[in-house]
Amino acid sequence: MSTPTDSGRIDALRTTLTSEFEAQTARLTQLTADTGDPSDPHTQVALIATTRQSLEQITDALRRIAEGTYGSCERCGNAIPTERLEILPHARFCVPCQRKH
């Protein structure tokens, strides 16, 4: 069960994730727009792939918040430290499990 402090942190992280989602969506729109720029197409494809991956990670984190599973390691079930979530809001694993993954 979450405490009011936990709830505030979750709300703050949700706001951060939502803002990042909006920024990444705008970036993807810009990257996929046909600007006629003949710049390196391989770089463009890599940027699009990275942006799409970021959007997937953010969407997954927002889904976990909605389901009430956010902040729990998907591997061992232990709580992911708040400090880790503040640095990497879409983290799915605690540090020990991330090292194993």
Side-chain angles (χ1 to χ4, degrees), residues 75-96:
R75 188 171 203 185
C76 70
N78 289 332
I80 299 171
T82 302
E83 297 80 14
R84 177 167 171 74
L85 292 172
E86 287 172 351
I87 294 167
L88 191 66
H90 60 270
R92 296 173 37 215
F93 304 105
C94 63
V95 173

Side-chain angles (χ1 to χ4, degrees), residues 60-83:
D60 191 43
L62 290 168
R63 177 190 52 78
R64 289 192 312 273
I65 289 172
E67 292 173 349
T69 61
Y70 183 80
S72 296
C73 177
E74 290 184 7
R75 188 171 203 185
C76 70
N78 289 332
I80 299 171
T82 302
E83 297 80 14

